[in-house]
Amino acid sequence: MRVTLRISAIVLTLLLSGVCYGQTRDFSNAHKKIERALEGSAEFPGSDAIWVKHDTLLIAVAKNTINEKKYAEQVCDSLKAYGFGSQNVQLIIVDQDELRSRNQWSQLAERQCK
């Protein structure tokens, strides 16, 4: 009985720690550095650069103000410069107005950075 109770407690602890870990957006310093660099750049027409997964970067831009596909290519080049060239990062350019007003987004462009 005591062994079963301990095993149950261990399993429950592992399950809860897995759930908590899965909900944490814990990105590396390199990920955060790229966000700051893009958001602080004069050439950055977007309002936000947000890592949604370790290999997926979402950038919100004002719709119809830039060529989204060309900009995605430029961001991929920046990712290479920051050491993410071999990470196969998926870059998604979205409409910033929709993201801010409805917390949803329409995808304007997508690129797989290689």
Coordinates of all heavy atoms in Angstrom, one line a residue, residues 1-38:
M1 N 0.8 -1.2 0.0 CA 0.0 0.0 0.0 C 0.9 1.3 0.0 O 0.6 2.2 -0.7 CB -0.9 -0.1 1.2 CG -1.7 1.2 1.5 SD -3.2 1.1 0.5 CE -4.1 2.4 1.2
R2 N 1.9 1.3 0.8 CA 2.8 2.4 0.9 C 3.6 2.6 -0.4 O 3.8 3.7 -0.8 CB 3.7 2.2 2.1 CG 4.0 3.4 2.8 CD 4.9 3.1 4.0 NE 5.1 4.4 4.5 CZ 5.2 4.7 5.8 NH1 5.1 3.8 6.7 NH2 5.4 6.0 6.1
V3 N 4.0 1.5 -1.0 CA 4.7 1.6 -2.2 C 3.8 2.1 -3.3 O 4.3 3.0 -4.1 CB 5.3 0.2 -2.6 CG1 5.9 0.2 -4.0 CG2 6.3 -0.3 -1.6
T4 N 2.6 1.7 -3.4 CA 1.7 2.2 -4.4 C 1.4 3.7 -4.2 O 1.3 4.4 -5.2 CB 0.3 1.4 -4.3 OG1 0.6 0.0 -4.4 CG2 -0.6 1.8 -5.4
L5 N 1.3 4.1 -3.0 CA 1.1 5.5 -2.7 C 2.3 6.4 -3.2 O 2.1 7.4 -3.7 CB 0.8 5.7 -1.2 CG 0.3 7.0 -0.8 CD1 -1.0 7.4 -1.5 CD2 0.0 7.0 0.7
R6 N 3.5 5.9 -2.9 CA 4.7 6.6 -3.3 C 4.8 6.7 -4.8 O 5.1 7.7 -5.4 CB 5.9 6.0 -2.7 CG 6.2 6.3 -1.3 CD 7.5 5.8 -0.8 NE 7.6 6.0 0.6 CZ 8.6 5.6 1.3 NH1 9.5 4.9 0.8 NH2 8.6 5.9 2.6
I7 N 4.5 5.6 -5.5 CA 4.6 5.5 -6.9 C 3.6 6.5 -7.5 O 3.8 7.2 -8.5 CB 4.4 4.1 -7.5 CG1 5.6 3.2 -7.1 CG2 4.2 4.1 -9.0 CD1 5.5 1.8 -7.4
S8 N 2.4 6.5 -7.0 CA 1.3 7.4 -7.4 C 1.8 8.9 -7.3 O 1.5 9.7 -8.1 CB 0.0 7.2 -6.7 OG -0.5 5.9 -6.9
A9 N 2.4 9.2 -6.1 CA 2.8 10.5 -5.9 C 3.9 10.9 -6.9 O 4.0 12.1 -7.4 CB 3.4 10.6 -4.4
I10 N 4.8 10.0 -7.2 CA 5.9 10.3 -8.1 C 5.3 10.5 -9.5 O 5.7 11.4 -10.2 CB 7.0 9.1 -8.1 CG1 7.7 9.1 -6.8 CG2 7.9 9.3 -9.3 CD1 8.6 7.9 -6.6
V11 N 4.4 9.6 -9.9 CA 3.8 9.8 -11.3 C 3.1 11.1 -11.4 O 3.2 11.8 -12.4 CB 2.9 8.6 -11.6 CG1 2.0 8.8 -12.8 CG2 3.7 7.3 -11.7
L12 N 2.3 11.5 -10.3 CA 1.5 12.7 -10.3 C 2.5 13.9 -10.4 O 2.2 14.9 -11.2 CB 0.7 12.8 -9.1 CG -0.2 14.0 -9.0 CD1 -1.2 14.1 -10.1 CD2 -1.0 14.0 -7.7
T13 N 3.6 13.9 -9.7 CA 4.6 14.9 -9.7 C 5.2 15.1 -11.1 O 5.3 16.2 -11.6 CB 5.7 14.7 -8.6 OG1 5.1 14.6 -7.3 CG2 6.7 15.8 -8.6
L14 N 5.5 14.0 -11.7 CA 6.1 14.0 -13.0 C 5.1 14.6 -14.1 O 5.5 15.4 -14.9 CB 6.6 12.6 -13.5 CG 7.8 12.1 -12.7 CD1 8.1 10.7 -13.1 CD2 9.0 13.0 -13.0
L15 N 3.9 14.2 -14.0 CA 2.8 14.7 -14.9 C 2.6 16.2 -14.7 O 2.6 16.9 -15.7 CB 1.5 13.9 -14.7 CG 1.5 12.5 -15.2 CD1 0.2 11.8 -14.8 CD2 1.6 12.5 -16.7
L16 N 2.5 16.6 -13.5 CA 2.3 18.1 -13.3 C 3.5 18.9 -13.7 O 3.4 20.0 -14.3 CB 2.0 18.3 -11.8 CG 0.6 17.8 -11.3 CD1 0.5 18.1 -9.8 CD2 -0.5 18.6 -12.1
S17 N 4.7 18.4 -13.5 CA 5.9 19.1 -13.9 C 6.0 19.2 -15.4 O 6.4 20.2 -16.0 CB 7.2 18.6 -13.3 OG 7.4 17.2 -13.8
G18 N 5.6 18.1 -16.1 CA 5.5 18.1 -17.5 C 4.5 19.1 -18.1 O 4.8 19.8 -19.0
V19 N 3.4 19.2 -17.5 CA 2.4 20.2 -17.9 C 2.9 21.6 -17.7 O 2.8 22.4 -18.6 CB 1.0 20.0 -17.1 CG1 0.1 21.1 -17.3 CG2 0.4 18.7 -17.6
C20 N 3.5 21.9 -16.6 CA 4.0 23.2 -16.3 C 5.1 23.6 -17.3 O 5.2 24.7 -17.8 CB 4.5 23.3 -14.9 SG 3.2 23.2 -13.6
Y21 N 6.0 22.6 -17.5 CA 7.1 22.9 -18.4 C 6.6 23.1 -19.8 O 7.1 24.0 -20.5 CB 8.1 21.7 -18.5 CG 9.2 21.9 -19.4 CD1 10.3 22.7 -19.1 CD2 9.2 21.2 -20.7 CE1 11.3 22.9 -20.0 CE2 10.3 21.4 -21.6 CZ 11.3 22.3 -21.2 OH 12.3 22.5 -22.1
G22 N 5.6 22.4 -20.3 CA 5.0 22.5 -21.6 C 4.4 23.9 -21.8 O 4.3 24.4 -22.9
Q23 N 3.9 24.5 -20.8 CA 3.3 25.8 -20.9 C 4.3 27.0 -20.8 O 3.9 28.1 -21.0 CB 2.2 26.0 -19.8 CG 1.1 25.0 -20.0 CD 0.0 25.1 -18.9 OE1 0.3 25.7 -17.9 NE2 -1.1 24.5 -19.1
T24 N 5.5 26.7 -20.4 CA 6.5 27.8 -20.3 C 7.1 28.1 -21.6 O 7.6 27.2 -22.3 CB 7.6 27.3 -19.3 OG1 6.9 26.9 -18.1 CG2 8.5 28.5 -19.0
R25 N 7.2 29.4 -22.0 CA 7.9 29.8 -23.2 C 9.3 30.2 -22.8 O 9.6 31.3 -22.5 CB 7.2 31.0 -23.8 CG 5.8 30.8 -24.1 CD 5.7 30.3 -25.6 NE 4.3 30.2 -25.9 CZ 3.9 29.4 -26.8 NH1 4.7 28.5 -27.3 NH2 2.6 29.3 -27.1
D26 N 10.2 29.2 -22.7 CA 11.5 29.4 -22.2 C 12.5 29.3 -23.4 O 12.9 28.3 -23.8 CB 11.8 28.3 -21.2 CG 13.0 28.7 -20.3 OD1 13.3 29.9 -20.2 OD2 13.6 27.7 -19.7
F27 N 12.8 30.5 -24.0 CA 13.6 30.6 -25.1 C 15.1 31.0 -24.7 O 15.3 31.6 -23.7 CB 13.1 31.5 -26.1 CG 11.7 31.1 -26.7 CD1 10.6 31.7 -26.3 CD2 11.6 30.0 -27.5 CE1 9.3 31.3 -26.8 CE2 10.4 29.6 -28.0 CZ 9.3 30.3 -27.6
S28 N 16.0 30.6 -25.5 CA 17.4 30.9 -25.2 C 17.7 32.4 -25.3 O 16.9 33.2 -25.9 CB 18.3 30.1 -26.2 OG 18.2 30.7 -27.5
N29 N 18.9 32.8 -24.8 CA 19.3 34.2 -24.9 C 19.4 34.6 -26.4 O 19.2 35.7 -26.7 CB 20.6 34.4 -24.2 CG 20.4 34.3 -22.7 OD1 19.3 34.6 -22.2 ND2 21.4 34.0 -21.9
A30 N 19.9 33.6 -27.2 CA 20.0 33.9 -28.7 C 18.7 34.2 -29.3 O 18.5 35.2 -30.1 CB 20.7 32.7 -29.4
H31 N 17.6 33.5 -28.9 CA 16.3 33.8 -29.4 C 15.8 35.2 -29.0 O 15.3 36.0 -29.8 CB 15.3 32.8 -28.8 CG 15.3 31.5 -29.5 ND1 16.1 30.5 -29.0 CD2 14.6 30.9 -30.5 CE1 15.9 29.4 -29.8 NE2 15.0 29.6 -30.7
K32 N 16.0 35.5 -27.7 CA 15.7 36.8 -27.2 C 16.5 38.0 -27.8 O 15.9 39.1 -28.1 CB 15.8 36.9 -25.7 CG 14.9 35.9 -25.0 CD 15.2 35.8 -23.5 CE 14.3 34.7 -22.9 NZ 14.7 34.4 -21.5
K33 N 17.7 37.7 -28.1 CA 18.6 38.7 -28.7 C 18.1 39.0 -30.1 O 18.1 40.2 -30.5 CB 20.0 38.1 -28.8 CG 21.0 39.1 -29.3 CD 22.4 38.5 -29.2 CE 23.5 39.5 -29.7 NZ 24.8 39.0 -29.6
I34 N 17.6 38.0 -30.9 CA 17.1 38.3 -32.2 C 15.8 39.1 -32.1 O 15.7 40.0 -32.9 CB 16.8 36.9 -32.9 CG1 18.1 36.2 -33.3 CG2 16.0 37.1 -34.2 CD1 18.0 34.8 -33.7
E35 N 14.9 38.8 -31.2 CA 13.7 39.6 -31.0 C 14.1 41.1 -30.8 O 13.6 42.0 -31.5 CB 12.9 39.1 -29.8 CG 12.1 37.9 -30.1 CD 11.3 37.5 -28.8 OE1 11.6 38.0 -27.7 OE2 10.4 36.6 -29.0
R36 N 15.0 41.3 -29.9 CA 15.4 42.7 -29.5 C 16.1 43.4 -30.7 O 15.9 44.5 -31.0 CB 16.4 42.7 -28.3 CG 15.7 42.4 -27.0 CD 16.6 42.7 -25.8 NE 17.8 42.0 -25.9 CZ 18.0 40.7 -25.4 NH1 17.1 40.1 -24.7 NH2 19.2 40.2 -25.5
A37 N 16.9 42.6 -31.4 CA 17.7 43.2 -32.6 C 16.7 43.6 -33.7 O 16.8 44.7 -34.3 CB 18.7 42.2 -33.1
L38 N 15.7 42.7 -34.0 CA 14.7 43.1 -35.0 C 13.8 44.2 -34.6 O 13.6 45.1 -35.4 CB 13.9 41.8 -35.3 CG 14.6 40.7 -36.1 CD1 13.7 39.5 -36.2 CD2 15.0 41.2 -37.5

